[in-house]
Structure formats: structure tokens, C-alpha cells
Amino acid sequence: MLTQCKGYLLDEQKGDFVNDRGEKISYHKARFYDLDSRKIFKVSVPTDADALPEEQVHCELSFDVIAGEKFTKLAYRGYNFL
């Protein structure tokens, strides 16, 4: 499922670490501000996603909704300038 909103990128975090089993885990996350609901939300950024917009640039953002039994997660997909 796909969802969209108008907003902008606040910041991003990425890195990697080794877990208890010796596996290398990489992560890439970002925080966005939704202009319509005036809320901050976090998303994961898949390796095959489009590049993130520059910080504080207003865009129309697209996300994949990953719904499970207990939790729902957003994965960044791309953006278009307003």
C-alpha cells in the first residue's frame, strides 16, 4: 500500500553494527515533518529507494506502508517538488 503527504525532511541517520550473533546490521532511517497534520514521524529508507530530498525543502513525499499483525511501519519511496 502506498501513502503520500506534503512535508519535508528533518534529518537522517545511517550506520551499521555487529549484533550478538556476529551478523553485520546496516540501518538507514529518516525523520520527516508532515505539513498537513503538523507531526513528526520516522521512516526506514530501503537501499533501493530514491534519494532523500534536501533538508527543509517542501515536497510531496511517497511511502510504502508495511502493515503487520501488531505494528505498522513506513518505508520511504520518493518525492516530488511542490
Side-chain angles (χ1 to χ4, degrees):
M1 182 167 43
L2 181 68
T3 188
Q4 295 180 326
C5 72
K6 292 182 177 104
Y8 55 85
L9 174 67
L10 291 172
D11 57 20
E12 66 176 305
Q13 298 174 344
K14 61 177 151 178
D16 50 66
F17 62 93
V18 177
N19 67 7
D20 296 339
R21 292 179 274 168
E23 301 168 332
K24 184 177 178 181
I25 308 294
S26 297
Y27 65 90
H28 191 180
K29 303 208 178 279
R31 291 187 322 145
F32 288 93
Y33 182 76
D34 184 343
L35 293 169
D36 297 327
S37 67
R38 297 181 178 170
K39 293 187 179 188
I40 295 172
F41 60 96
K42 294 180 184 179
V43 301
S44 62
V45 182
T47 54
D48 61 342
D50 291 346
L52 290 169
E54 293 292 321
E55 293 181 5
Q56 304 293 323
V57 176
H58 293 210
C59 304
E60 183 176 69
L61 305 159
S62 300
F63 304 96
D64 287 322
V65 178
I66 303 166
E69 274 187 44
K70 293 185 179 182
F71 301 103
T72 301
K73 183 169 113 173
L74 293 175
Y76 173 75
R77 183 174 220 175
Y79 72 94
N80 292 317
F81 291 113
L82 291 177

